[in-house]
């Protein structure tokens, strides 16, 4: 479905990137944000007009944290902002439950999540090509109308993304593993640098920088994201914790000197196997990733 007008509520990295992509296709875009500085920065970059639309737009994109999707949708539907609505939050099940319970018109809404981002945030980091060839998940409910779904698909086409349809819960379980838990692990590793030996940061190479890069993400936004998907993230971390405990035990075995009451050859052999097995499974897991990954994933 062709889009002629668009409203973007929230002018951070993702919202501004959506607006820039749509504006390139001559879609008239209206911007709003409680942060006047972010709003006018996005407008100055050519993302759209920093004003309310005179008439309902074809589609409104809610680029706000997961906890704000339902209340913002209810507010904008009450105002008559758009004919249809979608969002770009990286958690879908909790907002969906809240929307079905509180939205004036759940049928005009379809959940969305573009699987792209950067470790930088804000409108200055936005790029029109951010979503090109990236998966963009849609999570329609049983109430979502065909026009609402088709307008969301039209937006994905404008942005150069690849539409994928999923159930909200399946989406959240997947991103807990591929995005949310990794962000917390990156933060844990980066936080250790504050408590490590003084020279440690001076010796850091590209490996550490790769592991910790995404820890730069906005802490308030990421706190909202992880809280909104807390159960699924906790499940992933619990499995990692169990496996990490085995690796730690193996390392302590290998750290003990030979003889003098240390572990025997059989125990050392098992510990070496535990360590090498993890490394090999890690290599295999990396092989499952596509080579054309996004620069980062901030939501």
């Amino acid at each position: 479905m062709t889009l002629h007008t668009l409203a973007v509520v929230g002018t951070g990295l993702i919202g501004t990137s959506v607006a820039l992509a749509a504006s390139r296709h001559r879609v008239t875009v209206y911007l709003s944000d409680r942060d006047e500085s972010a709003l006018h920065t996005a407008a100055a970059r050519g993302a759209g007009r920093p004003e309310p639309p005179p008439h309902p737009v074809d589609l409104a994109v809610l680029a706000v944290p997961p906890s704000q999707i339902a209340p913002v949708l209810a507010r904008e539907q009450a105002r008559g902002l758009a004919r249809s609505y979608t969002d770009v939050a990286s958690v879908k099940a909790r907002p969906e439950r809240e929307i079905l319970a509180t939205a004036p018109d759940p049928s005009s809404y379809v959940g969305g999540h573009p699987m792209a981002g950067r470790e930088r945030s804000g409108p200055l980091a936005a790029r029109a090509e951010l979503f090109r060839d990236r998966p963009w998940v849609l999570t329609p409910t049983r109430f979502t109308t065909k026009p609402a779904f088709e307008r969301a698909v039209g937006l994905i086409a404008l942005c150069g993304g690849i539409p994928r349809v999923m159930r909200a819960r399946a989406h959240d379980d997947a991103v807990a593993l591929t995005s949310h838990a990794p962000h917390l692990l990156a933060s844990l590793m980066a936080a250790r640098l504050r408590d490590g030996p003084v020279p440690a940061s001076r010796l850091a190479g590209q490996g550490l920088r790769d592991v910790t890069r995404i820890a730069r993400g906005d802490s308030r936004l990421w706190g909202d994201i992880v809280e909104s998907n807390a159960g699924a993230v906790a499940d992933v971390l619990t499995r990692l914790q169990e496996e990490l405990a085995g690796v730690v035990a193996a390392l302590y075995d290998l750290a003990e000197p030979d003889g003098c009451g240390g572990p025997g050859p059989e125990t050392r052999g098992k510990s070496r196997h535990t360590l090498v097995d993890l490394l090999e499974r890690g290599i295999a897991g990396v092989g499952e990733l596509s080579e054309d990954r996004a620069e980062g994933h901030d939501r």
Side-chain angles (χ1 to χ4, degrees):
M1 182 177 290
T2 301
L3 298 177
H4 300 286
T5 55
L6 186 74
V8 175
V9 182
T11 51
L13 166 67
I14 302 298
T16 303
S17 294
V18 169
L20 287 170
S23 294
R24 281 191 177 183
H25 291 275
R26 300 184 183 278
V27 176
T28 301
V29 181
Y30 298 91
L31 306 172
S32 65
D33 199 308
R34 293 182 300 178
D35 185 336
E36 289 290 327
S37 176
L39 175 63
H40 290 291
T41 297
R45 294 200 58 202
R49 305 177 182 180
E51 60 190 42
H55 307 289
V57 298
D58 294 326
L59 180 67
V61 180
L62 310 183
V64 298
S67 66
Q68 296 302 306
I69 297 298
V72 170
L73 177 64
R75 181 189 73 203
E76 299 302 345
Q77 285 190 335
R79 293 177 178 177
L81 176 64
R83 297 178 180 87
S84 299
Y85 300 80
T86 189
D87 72 276
V88 292
S90 68
V91 181
K92 306 270 54 103
R94 177 176 169 182
E96 181 180 287
R97 289 194 303 269
E98 294 172 347
I99 285 166
L100 294 180
T102 63
D105 180 19
S107 68
S108 65
Y109 163 81
V110 56
H113 179 206
M115 305 298 294
R118 306 181 69 184
E119 72 275 13
R120 297 170 58 197
S121 59
L124 289 176
R127 301 185 305 177
E129 65 274 14
L130 186 66
F131 313 107
R132 186 175 299 160
D133 298 325
R134 301 303 306 156
W136 190 313
V137 176
L138 294 177
T139 56
T141 72
R142 64 187 184 279
F143 299 110
T144 301
T145 63
K146 184 177 179 180
F149 182 81
E150 289 181 346
R151 289 184 179 112
V153 172
L155 174 67
I156 296 172
L158 287 176
C159 295
I162 303 170
R164 296 282 186 267
V165 178
M166 298 180 69
R167 293 186 180 276
R169 184 71 265 164
H171 165 274
D172 289 0
D173 289 342
V175 294
L177 175 62
T178 62
S179 176
H180 303 166
H183 194 98
L184 290 181
L185 293 173
S187 296
L188 283 167
M189 192 66 233
R192 292 300 305 156
L193 295 174
R194 300 185 63 185
D195 304 321
V198 174
S201 61
R202 300 172 192 161
L203 302 178
Q206 192 58 47
L208 180 64
R209 298 180 193 281
D210 288 345
V211 167
T212 58
R213 177 178 55 83
I214 58 174
R216 296 179 181 272
D218 185 302
S219 60
R220 291 184 181 179
L221 173 61
W222 272 99
D224 191 295
I225 289 170
V226 172
E227 180 179 351
S228 297
N229 200 23
V233 176
D235 287 344
V236 173
L237 294 180
T238 296
R239 290 192 288 272
L240 289 172
Q241 182 182 40
E242 293 168 351
E243 189 155 18
L244 183 60
V247 172
V248 169
L251 290 172
Y252 276 124
D253 283 342
L254 295 173
E256 289 289 334
D258 290 329
C260 302
E266 183 177 353
T267 299
R268 285 180 176 276
K270 290 181 179 179
S271 294
R272 289 192 189 97
H273 174 76
T274 296
L275 183 59
V276 173
D277 178 65
L278 170 63
L279 296 171
E280 290 180 345
R281 286 188 291 117
I283 293 169
V286 170
E288 295 293 320
L289 300 175
S290 60
E291 295 181 359
D292 56 339
R293 304 298 291 170
E295 180 179 347
H297 188 271
D298 81 325
R299 295 166 83 66

